[in-house]
Amino acid sequence: MHNRCMQPVRISFNILHLALAGVALAQGGAALTDWQLHYRTGEDLLGKGRAAEARVELELALAGAGIEGKGAILDALGRAELEGGRYREAKRRFEASAALWVPQTRPWAVALNNLGLACLELQEYAHAEALLVQALTVLHGEARPWQSLGQAQLFRGRTRQSAESFQRALSLAGPGLAPLIASDLAGVLRAKRQYVKAAAILEEAIAGAGAGQARARMRANLGLLCVKLKDKRRAVEQLRSALTEMESAVGERHPDVAAILEIYQDVLRGAGQKPEAAAAARRAAEIRSSFVRHTGDRRVSVDWRDLR
């Protein structure tokens, strides 16, 4: 199997929304301005998973807003780009947002956190780690930034530091976030070649997680562990389930779908299913080619209001 395709998939998308800090969307019953209406509509569309439509509204908001609204609008545009798999554009939006906030304030830290996560998706792991460390000077009491830092450290091969960050995140997490962090800890065990323990943790995390993009990534990682455990049949089953769930969560044309297809085609080939492997490889290549301007080689952010 090709090592380029057999890397673990990063688990969670720690998307932080940056509220329109200091700007009231309505005061004393006054009507919203045009740009405020576009911003509100864009945020509503983002909440419904309609990133492409949200981008249109948010671009209109950005064009009409004064300096007081641009930081939050740029953050929302960055989140829309992330959800659509347009990671380079997301990075650019978050960089612009971060530059508008006063250093060492919460909005500044949230913008750096989200910028770090865009860098994670672009596989710029050292840059991501540096940004997340900065963000944690303000967000040190929040679970999600610690989890994201652990992910950056794990992909850099800094296993001990990664485990410490995940444990810190776990100590701060509520019950909804705990399964995602536990699944990241399974990645530490995988790096240590403790495959049986890692698989057990992932199975428990999958059982406790809701359907969606994060759980689909967990299933893909469990499929990889099944390969390590020489259970080809179960590896194929897990990756098939991961692919179906990811398509349901993000659509059929997204970098995450391509990432799973690349793993899947290697596992199918190893299981002797060569026609199916070839079909998966072709589809992955087609998706990659359509996103080549927007991503790194392959392969979100945190709403501070949701941090616990």
Side-chain angles (χ1 to χ4, degrees), residues 32 35 57 74 90-91 142 163 236 249 256 303:
L32 299 180
W35 76 262
E57 293 293 331
L74 285 163
K91 180 182 177 183
E142 313 291 357
V236 170
D256 274 9
D303 183 340

Side-chain angles (χ1 to χ4, degrees), residues 98-145:
L100 295 176
W101 301 110
V102 176
Q104 297 302 315
T105 62
R106 191 176 188 83
W108 170 85
V110 169
L112 287 186
N113 175 87
N114 291 351
L115 176 56
L117 293 172
C119 290
L120 270 178
E121 295 299 334
L122 289 166
Q123 300 181 335
E124 299 173 4
Y125 299 130
H127 190 195
E129 181 178 3
L131 289 164
L132 290 162
V133 167
Q134 281 187 278
L136 278 162
T137 60
V138 176
L139 303 175
H140 52 84
E142 313 291 357
R144 292 174 187 262

Side-chain angles (χ1 to χ4, degrees), residues 184-237:
D184 280 325
L185 279 167
V188 175
L189 292 174
R190 181 186 186 276
K192 295 179 178 180
R193 301 186 179 185
Q194 297 178 27
Y195 303 132
V196 173
K197 289 183 179 179
I201 289 176
L202 264 180
E203 288 167 354
E204 184 175 353
I206 289 168
Q213 193 172 15
R215 194 175 72 177
R217 286 182 167 197
M218 292 185 203
R219 291 191 188 280
N221 285 333
L222 182 56
L224 284 172
L225 284 168
C226 291
V227 173
K228 294 294 186 181
L229 293 168
K230 304 187 185 306
D231 189 343
K232 294 179 181 179
R233 179 191 59 79
R234 190 161 181 236
V236 170
E237 290 175 354

Side-chain angles (χ1 to χ4, degrees), residues 12 42 50 77 80 87 95-96 119 130 147 149 196-197 246 272 292:
S12 62
R50 296 158 62 181
L77 276 165
Y87 303 135
E95 285 174 335
C119 290
Q147 180 190 11
L149 177 61
V196 173
K197 289 183 179 179
M246 186 63 77
V292 68

Side-chain angles (χ1 to χ4, degrees), residues 13-14 16 113 142-149 177 302 306-307:
F13 292 85
N14 296 323
L16 296 167
N113 175 87
E142 313 291 357
R144 292 174 187 262
W146 282 107
Q147 180 190 11
S148 299
L149 177 61
L177 185 58
V302 188
D306 292 339
L307 288 175

